[in-house]
Amino acid sequence: MKRTTLSLFAGAAALAAVTGFAAVSAPGDTGAETAEPAARLPVERTSLLCPAPSASDLAETTYTSFTPVTEGAEKKGTATLTAAADGAAAEAGKGGEDAGSGKDGEDAKDGEEGKDGEDAKDGEEGKDGNDGKDGKPVLRPGAPGTPVTGTASGADAPALTGTAEGSHAPGWTVQQTTEVAAGTGRGLLGLNCTAPDTEFWFPGASTASGRTDYVHLTNPDDSAAVVDIELYGKDGVLKSTVGEGVTVPPGGGESLLLSTLTDVEQTDVTVHVNVRSGRLGAAVQALDDKTGGDWLTAAADPAGELVVPGIPADATSVRLMLFTPGGSDADLKVRLASPSGAITPAGHETVHVKAGMTTGVDLGEVTRGEAGSLVLTPTSGSVPVVAAVRVVRGEGGEQESAFIPASDPVGARATAAENRAKGTTLSVTAPDRTAKVEVTASAGTEGGTTATKTFTIEGGTTQNVEVPVPAGLKGTYALTVETVSGGPVYAARTLTGEDEDVASFTVQPLPDDRGTVSVPKAEQNLSVLQQPPA
């Protein structure tokens, strides 16, 4: 064997030892042992970003924070949500101060005080209307297992950045719900605040007349982020140089009106947010003159098979939007997973999606009064696709719209932070094999005790399950959905407005809350440093 080859082996072995990789045999062993499976451990830090809720003076926004109790999590921790700076302030350097280490240090100190029992009190202060514009946290979450609320009013409520550590981190979820009484985008707008990332797909946006769509970008870090925003319509890319190299200042939030990025009016547009440097939170606020509005959150990553969960049973119109980012066309079989099994919508058995072009399909009243989820599978070769649906409820002047993107499965556990005694619907889908799930309702924000129910979802069906409600509930509560056994499940929570005469609603898919992470077992093995004789 050549000396250079031996040197390479020795260097690689040393690197493995220094970086702490596991060896499969202990010193002195001559045979390899089977590596133990990776353990799942609670995460120790979670970041969330919430976009600025509304430009309406009539907007009333509620933030609900919840961390589920996680076995093995640290006993102490902190979490807080604070205002991101607007673009001008961030450029002037204020954003860096608000989001930088000094402010975070103060927040951590406040969190330490919360450990002694003041978290819930701080949450009550948020509930009394602290909107974060004075630099103070909008809310400080209480102990895991108990949700806490905060509120904001009007058009000046800022975007928020949040960090949870220790016991508060595993599965930390924040729901942002805004009620707008009148005007463009009226109704109920909701989303789960998202973790920062570097790429987002939003099928379902529009630049058509009557729609006012904004893409919101929030930067959690102390350095600027640079992003490209690409728009794709029915004939392909909508050319624009305005969306290239957009800079989002440190700790700041920006919103861009889609119609200023292109002068082409398109009913169905896919927005691609690609971060060149840094990381961001991104969401599209879609506002309609006639059917209200809601948030369009990022779709699941491009995949050959997709599930769009939780289409409301009383939907009067469902429009499916699809896009394939690759260079190949996609042909998909469309099925509706209903309570009685899989159904193929008449006239929409398959859909053809041209490469690089957005495809829109009107499915009408596809659910016909029953719970339903769309399951999209390839007819032949698998081609990655992103998808979302626009759902309309109500009739005439009482119509309201919401968006449901294709979602990742529940996985180990998913969380919905804000739920009410009335107006909460939980939809669970098992697209392939029968599965069993456990649904737990937390204590209420103002009182109540937890409740748990277990449900079996037959393969190929969608069920609107009977949500458990905390005994003695006061305020709102959180729901966690855990996969107990069987195949993968998908879930979505529909929240309807308190006025039963108005069709206002919002739907949030419930993917895995990423409360745990896979950690392989590692052991030190210095024998890998022993160089064999030449």
Side-chain angles (χ1 to χ4, degrees):
M1 183 178 291
K2 293 183 179 180
R3 186 177 300 275
T4 53
T5 305
L6 288 173
S7 299
L8 287 173
F9 281 146
L15 178 61
V18 170
T19 54
F21 281 99
V24 295
S25 58
D29 286 350
T30 57
E33 298 176 0
T34 302
E36 294 186 20
R40 295 203 65 85
L41 300 177
V43 300
E44 297 178 355
R45 182 182 176 90
T46 299
S47 296
L48 292 177
L49 304 170
C50 310
S54 178
S56 172
D57 291 333
L58 302 177
E60 297 292 335
T61 300
T62 300
Y63 302 95
T64 304
S65 169
F66 178 74
T67 298
V69 176
T70 303
E71 184 178 354
E74 296 183 20
K75 295 182 179 180
K76 296 182 179 181
T78 63
T80 190
L81 278 172
T82 55
D86 61 25
E91 287 289 359
K94 296 178 183 177
E97 293 175 9
D98 287 346
S101 59
K103 179 83 183 285
D104 286 343
E106 293 176 12
D107 289 342
K109 182 179 178 181
D110 289 340
E112 292 292 337
E113 293 172 0
K115 293 179 197 175
D116 296 329
E118 294 181 19
D119 279 337
K121 181 180 178 181
D122 288 336
E124 291 295 329
E125 291 174 1
K127 187 176 178 183
D128 289 339
N130 178 18
D131 57 12
K133 289 180 284 188
D134 56 2
K136 295 180 180 179
V138 172
L139 60 82
R140 291 192 187 91
T146 303
V148 174
T149 61
T151 61
S153 299
D156 296 330
L160 303 179
T161 63
T163 301
E165 297 182 343
S167 61
H168 290 64
W172 185 41
T173 302
V174 176
Q175 166 82 14
Q176 175 181 296
T177 305
T178 303
E179 294 191 62
V180 179
T184 298
R186 56 164 174 75
L188 200 64
L189 295 80
L191 85 166
N192 281 329
C193 299
T194 59
D197 208 336
T198 57
E199 186 176 38
F200 307 85
W201 291 97
F202 301 97
S206 179
T207 58
S209 176
R211 278 280 290 272
T212 307
D213 288 16
Y214 295 85
V215 57
H216 286 249
L217 307 171
T218 309
N219 181 1
D221 298 324
D222 56 5
S223 59
V226 180
V227 60
D228 293 330
I229 302 173
E230 301 164 333
L231 307 180
Y232 298 89
K234 61 183 179 63
D235 299 317
V237 65
L238 304 180
K239 294 183 179 180
S240 170
T241 58
V242 182
E244 296 181 4
V246 176
T247 299
V248 184
E254 294 281 3
S255 62
L256 294 88
L257 181 62
L258 294 189
S259 60
T260 64
L261 303 183
T262 179
D263 56 3
V264 180
E265 291 191 2
Q266 295 271 290
T267 300
D268 301 310
V269 172
T270 298
V271 180
H272 180 216
V273 176
N274 185 39
V275 184
R276 289 191 202 174
S277 63
R279 55 182 190 151
L280 293 170
V284 171
Q285 190 175 50
L287 310 176
D288 192 283
D289 291 344
K290 296 181 179 179
T291 60
D294 206 349
W295 288 99
L296 170 59
T297 54
D301 290 340
E305 299 185 10
L306 297 172
V307 176
V308 183
I311 300 173
D314 59 353
T316 54
S317 173
V318 177
R319 184 171 179 83
L320 171 65
M321 286 79 67
L322 309 106
F323 178 80
T324 174
S328 302
D329 292 1
D331 288 288
L332 299 171
K333 181 179 180 180
V334 181
R335 290 178 298 153
L336 180 75
S338 73
S340 57
I343 299 172
T344 301
H348 301 291
E349 294 83 3
T350 61
V351 59
H352 180 71
V353 186
K354 294 182 179 180
M357 303 179 188
T358 300
T359 298
V361 181
D362 273 322
L363 301 178
E365 297 182 54
V366 65
T367 54
R368 299 188 181 278
E370 294 186 320
S373 300
L374 287 180
V375 180
L376 308 173
T377 56
T379 59
S380 55
S382 180
V383 177
V385 175
V386 291
V389 298
R390 180 174 183 255
V391 178
V392 177
R393 292 176 67 238
E395 301 287 349
E398 299 298 331
Q399 288 184 321
E400 231 262 89
S401 57
F403 296 85
I404 312 173
S407 175
D408 291 322
V410 166
R413 181 184 65 194
T415 304
E418 179 185 355
N419 300 279
R420 304 166 183 172
K422 294 182 178 180
T424 295
T425 301
L426 179 63
S427 179
V428 184
T429 302
D432 300 315
R433 295 181 290 122
T434 297
K436 182 178 291 186
V437 297
E438 184 176 89
V439 181
T440 300
S442 74
T445 52
E446 299 174 11
T449 56
T450 60
T452 299
K453 289 185 178 180
T454 300
F455 303 94
T456 298
I457 312 299
E458 298 294 330
T461 71
T462 296
Q463 306 291 334
N464 284 349
V465 301
E466 185 180 353
V467 177
V469 177
L473 172 65
K474 294 182 180 179
T476 60
Y477 64 99
L479 283 172
T480 57
V481 182
E482 297 178 81
T483 304
V484 177
S485 62
V489 295
Y490 297 75
R493 189 279 316 274
T494 299
L495 192 65
T496 57
E498 296 181 359
D499 187 348
E500 296 182 357
D501 295 329
V502 180
S504 61
F505 73 113
T506 183
V507 183
Q508 279 74 56
L510 303 180
D512 193 300
D513 64 18
R514 300 185 295 182
T516 59
V517 64
S518 181
V519 180
K521 183 173 180 173
E523 293 180 357
Q524 188 180 49
N525 184 0
L526 297 180
S527 67
V528 298
L529 296 178
Q530 297 176 359
Q531 183 174 335

